[in-house]
Amino acid sequence: MDAAAASSRRAALPVTVLVLLLLVAAAPPAVGGGGGSAAVNGDRLRAEQIRKQASDAAASAAALAAASRRLHLDRARHLRLLSSLHRNLTATLRDLASASVPDPASSQADRARRLDLQAKDLIRAARAAIADAKPLFDPQLKIQRLKDAIFARNELLARAKKRGAFASLIAAKSIPKPLHCLAVRLTAERIALPDKFADPKPPPAALEDPALFHYAIFSDNVLAASVVVRSAVANSQDPSKHVFHVVTDRMNLGAMQVIIRLMDLQGAHYEVKAYEDYKFLNSSYVPVLRQLESANLQKFYFENKLENATKDASNMKFRNPKYLSMLNHLRFYLPEMYPKLQKILFLDDDVVVQRDLTGLWKIDMDGKVNGAVETCFGSFHRYWQYMNFSHPLIKEKFNPNACGWAYGMNFFDLNSWRREKSTEQYHYWQNQNENRLLWKLGTLPPGLITFYSTTKPLDKSWHVLGLGYNPSISMEEIRNAAVVHFNGNMKPWLDIGMNQFRHLWTKYVDYGDSFIRQCNFAPP
């Protein structure tokens, strides 16, 4: 047994040495006075990742060493047991042989019976020991048992991943208490002081002036929308030439009006409306609203129990009713919402503006409708990942390897939009997808389809994505970006947001505001 344990320790020694070397290599190097704080943070993050990997390797090595020791101990125990049985069976055979010699001094029948019982007991014990020891010495049986164990663990892992994805979805899509509190308090303020926050009559002429720089922001998150507006104003060279068109739903209209009105916009113009105010947005015209009335679609979304939702973790997110929210699909009606405008910049509510964006209005769109940053690299983010190319309609019209692009910051030429009749194309494809056979859900697939041949690629520095799911984005890339996008589940206003990027968003939150303080938002 001592030899077996020593052998297992010798086998584990190289792994332990390797782990120690990894830990030493992961130690953060000394930083000279000339290094920037961002570089230091990046080195620390890399060192933490290496240390975590080394720690995981050490734990695996310890587990393997323990398993090896157990295996050696089990083999030694079975060897001792089998040796003992061999000695006992040999002694019994000798006794049986001697019993065949007549012995007048003893009862021959009693002795034979006793030896017979003893031999049977030893044979049973030997068979049990051999059956017990067989897995230790039969490689095929060991392989099969290992396969069975791996399969069982994979089943448990898959189940845990599905439940984890569901929990992550709940954490990402639920409204935090402070955010709900803020909306309620701002709405109460709007009700208490209706005259103070009423829209000016008549509306300012700047709202329809095509010579100014117009932004469209559609959101029901009052704090996130305010960050978008505040960051755009703070980084613009002349805020008085910028116009913000904020659209929300009827429930959040009062809160949005108050939070935008209380901001220092430095002369920038704004309007806050509810999408219900646009009377053309009705079920007879808008396919999404008509589809939402169907019993089949309501069952798909609103009978979404845990046991059904977790059957397919990869498609779980598409069962969120937000994908049929009218706020999500307003982006396809910009020319009708703003008939006198020629160009407009669409911004998602999870972006932060970091520099003046008026350069976008100077870009020659070459007759294209949509200016967007492409996201494809290698085989990733190609059209085949967003839509069903086994369907003949999709297969006939589109190239599966066409490059995808991102929503979040999109510059639209509304004159080209009207000429290309892009809204009509969107309606056609949305009607074709009523049974969700062309694509799952969301606004990106119909956007890729609608603007398939009318999208102009923008330089990637205009729009850097992934701050809500990718921790490895370099700080240099972020610093050079005009707009950073927290797309993904880890939004900066959630507890699950990534700390290394959160400061980019929180710097535009006014933590001194009385409503923010009353709702217990934790300052950075």
Side-chain angles (χ1 to χ4, degrees):
M1 182 173 69
D2 293 339
S7 176
S8 68
R9 284 194 296 271
R10 285 194 300 272
L13 184 59
V15 180
T16 306
V17 171
L18 176 60
V19 170
L20 290 174
L21 288 174
L22 283 171
L23 286 169
V24 172
V31 180
S37 60
V40 174
N41 290 335
D43 290 342
R44 285 177 180 169
L45 285 173
R46 284 190 291 273
E48 283 297 329
Q49 289 176 351
I50 295 172
R51 275 197 290 273
K52 186 179 183 305
Q53 291 170 1
S55 176
D56 292 343
S60 299
L64 287 170
S68 178
R69 284 194 295 272
R70 284 196 300 272
L71 183 61
H72 281 290
L73 290 172
D74 286 344
R75 284 185 172 180
R77 181 171 59 84
H78 282 90
L79 284 171
R80 290 196 304 273
L81 179 59
L82 291 171
S83 298
S84 175
L85 285 169
H86 176 263
R87 288 194 301 271
N88 292 335
L89 284 168
T90 302
T92 303
L93 285 171
R94 283 198 302 269
D95 291 343
L96 287 170
S98 63
S100 62
V101 180
D103 186 1
S106 61
S107 172
Q108 186 73 17
D110 291 344
R111 187 180 180 191
R113 191 181 301 111
R114 189 167 57 252
L115 289 172
D116 182 56
L117 291 174
Q118 183 181 351
K120 287 181 178 179
D121 289 340
L122 287 171
I123 290 169
R124 277 196 299 269
R127 286 175 177 172
I130 291 169
D132 193 26
K134 188 176 180 181
L136 294 173
F137 302 98
D138 185 347
Q140 291 301 323
L141 187 57
K142 286 179 67 176
I143 291 170
Q144 186 57 48
R145 288 192 175 182
L146 184 59
K147 286 182 178 179
D148 293 343
I150 291 173
F151 179 79
R153 294 302 176 200
N154 281 337
E155 287 291 306
L156 290 174
L157 179 61
R159 196 175 301 120
K161 280 184 176 180
K162 289 178 181 179
R163 290 189 172 271
F166 190 81
S168 175
L169 192 66
I170 294 296
K173 305 307 177 186
S174 299
I175 301 175
K177 185 177 179 181
L179 204 57
H180 176 70
C181 165
L182 181 63
V184 170
R185 288 186 178 275
L186 290 170
T187 301
E189 183 76 2
R190 175 69 176 84
I191 294 171
L193 301 170
D195 295 334
K196 180 179 178 180
F197 301 106
D199 291 332
K201 299 277 179 78
L207 297 179
E208 296 181 339
D209 186 351
L212 300 180
F213 307 110
H214 293 262
Y215 301 77
I217 304 165
F218 306 146
S219 174
D220 57 1
N221 186 328
V222 293
L223 186 61
S226 73
V227 166
V228 178
V229 174
R230 184 177 279 112
S231 64
V233 169
N235 292 286
S236 63
Q237 294 177 358
D238 186 357
S240 65
K241 294 183 179 180
H242 295 256
V243 185
F244 296 92
H245 303 270
V246 182
V247 181
T248 185
D249 53 23
R250 182 69 68 188
M251 185 173 67
N252 291 285
L253 177 61
M256 195 72 78
Q257 287 173 330
V258 174
I259 199 167
I260 301 295
R261 179 68 177 274
L262 293 178
M263 290 168 50
D264 179 13
L265 295 179
Q266 303 176 36
H269 309 279
Y270 76 94
E271 68 170 342
V272 180
K273 300 182 73 173
Y275 73 82
E276 292 92 342
D277 295 334
Y278 296 94
K279 301 305 180 185
F280 70 89
L281 296 173
N282 53 65
S283 58
S284 63
Y285 178 65
V286 178
V288 166
L289 292 178
R290 182 170 62 254
Q291 291 166 11
L292 191 58
E293 295 173 354
S294 73
N296 184 35
L297 210 59
Q298 289 182 14
K299 182 178 180 180
F300 178 78
Y301 282 109
F302 301 114
E303 293 184 10
N304 185 18
K305 298 179 181 178
L306 175 62
E307 58 270 22
N308 295 328
T310 57
K311 285 180 180 177
D312 187 353
S314 63
N315 295 328
M316 195 186 307
K317 66 177 183 178
F318 296 116
R319 288 181 173 269
N320 193 320
K322 79 158 194 170
Y323 288 106
L324 282 184
S325 164
M326 197 58 230
L327 282 174
N328 246 13
H329 289 261
L330 279 182
R331 63 194 71 187
F332 293 104
Y333 299 96
L334 290 169
E336 293 158 287
M337 296 172 69
Y338 310 109
K340 296 186 178 181
L341 300 184
Q342 298 173 6
K343 295 181 178 180
I344 195 167
L345 180 63
F346 169 78
L347 295 175
D348 263 341
D349 64 359
D350 53 355
V351 306
V352 171
V353 179
Q354 298 192 132
R355 72 168 190 250
D356 185 80
L357 299 178
T358 54
L360 287 166
W361 276 260
K362 300 174 184 177
I363 294 176
D364 183 1
M365 292 289 287
D366 299 323
K368 305 293 186 181
V369 177
N370 171 35
V373 169
E374 293 183 329
T375 56
C376 62
F377 59 97
S379 62
F380 296 97
H381 298 287
R382 301 286 178 177
Y383 267 49
W384 63 267
Q385 292 177 293
Y386 299 99
M387 51 200 77
N388 178 19
F389 272 87
S390 64
H391 196 286
L393 263 180
I394 296 293
K395 187 176 181 179
E396 178 186 354
K397 297 287 186 180
F398 305 102
N399 177 5
N401 291 315
C403 188
W405 46 264
Y407 267 128
M409 192 215 73
N410 302 82
F411 188 72
F412 290 110
D413 185 329
L414 300 184
N415 289 334
S416 298
W417 185 314
R418 296 179 184 105
R419 185 185 66 250
E420 296 289 341
K421 298 183 178 180
S422 297
T423 300
E424 287 84 347
Q425 293 183 43
Y426 161 70
H427 282 177
Y428 168 78
W429 288 104
Q430 193 70 42
N431 284 324
Q432 295 297 316
N433 193 49
E434 184 167 2
N435 294 321
R436 304 179 302 281
L437 297 178
L438 305 187
W439 67 86
K440 293 291 184 183
L441 283 164
T443 53
L444 182 55
L448 294 172
I449 289 174
T450 301
F451 305 115
Y452 174 57
S453 59
T454 56
T455 295
K456 180 180 178 65
L458 301 179
D459 187 273
K460 292 186 182 299
S461 65
W462 281 111
H463 183 194
V464 170
L465 299 101
L467 277 70
Y469 69 88
N470 183 6
S472 62
I473 302 174
S474 71
M475 291 306 297
E476 182 180 0
E477 187 179 3
I478 290 172
R479 280 194 300 271
N480 294 332
V483 171
V484 291
H485 193 175
F486 290 84
N487 58 310
N489 284 341
M490 300 178 184
K491 304 297 185 188
W493 56 83
L494 299 175
D495 290 338
I496 61 175
M498 286 187 278
N499 290 328
Q500 67 264 42
F501 302 140
R502 196 192 301 270
H503 69 280
L504 301 169
W505 187 83
T506 55
K507 66 189 288 187
Y508 295 107
V509 176
D510 183 7
Y511 288 97
D513 179 80
S514 60
F515 295 103
I516 298 288
R517 291 201 311 271
Q518 289 169 11
C519 291
N520 297 320
F521 281 91

